[in-house]
Amino acid sequence: MESVWKGIQEAVRLLLTGDPEVLRITLLTLKVSGTATLISLVMGIPLGAFLALGRFPGRRFLMSLVNTGMGMPPVVAGLWVTLFMWRNGPLGFFHLMYTPAAMIIAQSVIAAPIITGISAAAFQQVNGRLRLQILALGASKLQTGLLLLREVRLPLMAAVMAGFGGVISEVGASTMVGGNVLGRTRVLTTATVMEVSKGNYDIAIALSVILMVLAYGVTLTLTILQQRGNRT
Amino acid sequence: MFTKNRLWVIMLIVLMVMLSASGCTRANQEVILATTTSTTDSGLLDVLKPEFDKQTGYDLTIVSVGSGAAIAMGEKGEADALLVHSPKDEQRIEDAGVAVSRQIVMHNDFVLVGPADDPAGIKDKPVAEAFKAIAEKQALFLSRGDESGTHKKELGIWEKAGITPAGEWYQETGTGMGATLNVAAEKKGYTLTDRATYLALQENMDLQILLEGDQELLNIYHVMQVNPEKFAKVNAKGGKAFVDFMVAPETQEIIKTFGADKYGQPLFFPDAGKEE
């Protein structure tokens, strides 16, 4: 227990003194996971709406794929992104391996199915008659979509939180495609693993505390936004 | 529907190009070093990377895996330079034309560590005898199990002892040296480790050096370039720059003193230019 106490003290010290290395790692964590969540939103919400509201052959099959993808193990995403990204892979000419961009792509692969799946479920919950009514009132397809989006904003915020929570906590994909390079691709989770294997438990505990605080802070902000949406 | 699909493809391409905007500029500047966990877990490369970057203007990307995985990266042309300690495998890829300008950098030694009460009574035995004793007593032994240089060394000793290790007492962690030492300390088992990683971690754990100094336990690190003639995408100049850097007198001086202030003894002994 002594090392836990030491770790918490270390965390407070690192946070208060604004240790530049820790600050950089923390900001990169936010940047990578935030961007990946945004990309997943841009792809996931329209796709979710399409899967929920569209009528076409193979829809159920696609839904089952997305629902399976919601449980995508990060290391699987990491491995496949690696195979595509490294020098001799099909996308090797972009030189993305061991960059934050590669981590964003891998994390998007993890978060996109989560957000798509929850969005699809949310859109399916909307009463079908509402959609008919909106259409009957002469709304265009785009207008209909926007109105429905308003209807499902609460579960959509839950989708954002689930997606963000999924990627900020993963370590397998980030290690594989990012390489945990100091000052470039080291994020809170990969740094924690490294410090544990170096035997620096106090720093590892400090990093984990920072990660939890960060995850809580972001989720709290999103929850407040969500609940405000609930009142009006 | 077709045009919609096309729109998605175009958006994805735009996204990729935007993401890689930063990547392309560094294509020639980046040197990828695939290396063993001991060089990073001990902190040596944290000291050497800024020096290398400053001296050469390159940007060193350190990928820290076991020697086996590092050599595999070299064999795929996914690294520019290797810093590893698995002499037999190194010889193999050198013969295959994968690695060139291979040079000795430094050495330290492997030590056999375990719980202080030494249940198998191996203290100061010859190393093969000690392994035999562990197997006979069925005392817990933690193996890296990851094709790393240390794992290869360990397997070589078992072979020499004429034992095929298997059973409840022989467990593979499949992780790096630091993690494996942690497991050994926690479960009170024996394990073979390089001295550098052990020294870096010892203050947090209850493991003693029980056997050291056997000729068999020498741990030699070599640096080499991945052959640019074999892999078109390898950074030839960058790889060479790293090899030159590792054997340069200034770097060797850093290696010689690294860790001495913290652990009371150096972790590595520089060897550049020496006969093997």
Side-chain angles (χ1 to χ4, degrees), chain B residues 158-171:
Chain B
W158 286 118
E159 206 180 316
K160 219 176 160 195
I163 290 168
T164 313
E168 269 297 297
W169 61 276
Y170 184 78
Q171 298 181 5

Side-chain angles (χ1 to χ4, degrees), chain B residues 234-251:
Chain B
V234 161
N235 184 344
K237 282 185 188 159
K240 177 154 188 343
F242 185 75
V243 171
D244 292 345
F245 169 79
M246 284 309 286
V247 298
E250 300 80 35
T251 313

Side-chain angles (χ1 to χ4, degrees), chain B residues 30-189:
Chain B
E30 182 186 53
V31 179
I32 298 180
L33 170 71
T35 184
T36 139
T37 55
S38 53
T39 51
T40 42
D41 281 357
S42 63
L44 177 65
L45 284 172
D46 287 345
V47 177
L48 293 184
K49 175 185 153 63
E51 276 301 313
F52 175 75
D53 290 0
K54 196 172 73 192
Q55 284 179 26
T56 62
Y58 285 113
D59 187 355
L60 188 68
T61 296
I62 301 160
V63 183
S64 164
V65 286
S67 285
I71 285 170
M73 278 178 73
E75 286 178 303
K76 290 196 185 71
E78 295 296 340
D80 303 311
L82 308 177
L83 176 62
V84 290
H85 63 140
S86 194
K88 266 191 201 159
D89 291 322
E90 294 164 24
Q91 192 63 52
R92 177 171 58 78
I93 60 167
E94 196 177 26
D95 293 344
V98 168
V100 290
S101 43
R102 174 168 170 250
Q103 297 197 54
I104 187 168
V105 175
M106 59 194 184
H107 75 270
N108 60 12
D109 58 349
F110 292 106
V111 291
L112 192 53
V113 299
D117 59 356
D118 187 14
I122 60 161
K123 199 160 173 55
D124 298 327
K125 282 191 175 163
V127 65
E129 294 298 313
F131 271 50
K132 262 186 203 156
I134 291 173
E136 271 161 24
K137 279 261 155 68
Q138 307 228 329
L140 182 65
F141 187 95
L142 279 309
S143 165
R144 288 277 293 276
D146 63 350
E147 308 279 306
S148 60
T150 310
H151 185 217
K152 288 285 170 76
K153 171 63 85 178
E154 177 215 314
L155 292 179
I157 297 172
W158 286 118
E159 206 180 316
K160 219 176 160 195
I163 290 168
T164 313
E168 269 297 297
W169 61 276
Y170 184 78
Q171 298 181 5
E172 298 190 358
T173 62
T175 55
M177 195 68 251
T180 303
L181 278 169
N182 284 331
V183 176
E186 207 55 44
K187 298 179 109 170
K188 299 197 187 304

Side-chain angles (χ1 to χ4, degrees), chain A residues 163-178:
Chain A
F164 182 79
V167 292
I168 201 172
S169 60
E170 72 81 28
V171 59
S174 291
T175 306
M176 228 181 272
V177 304

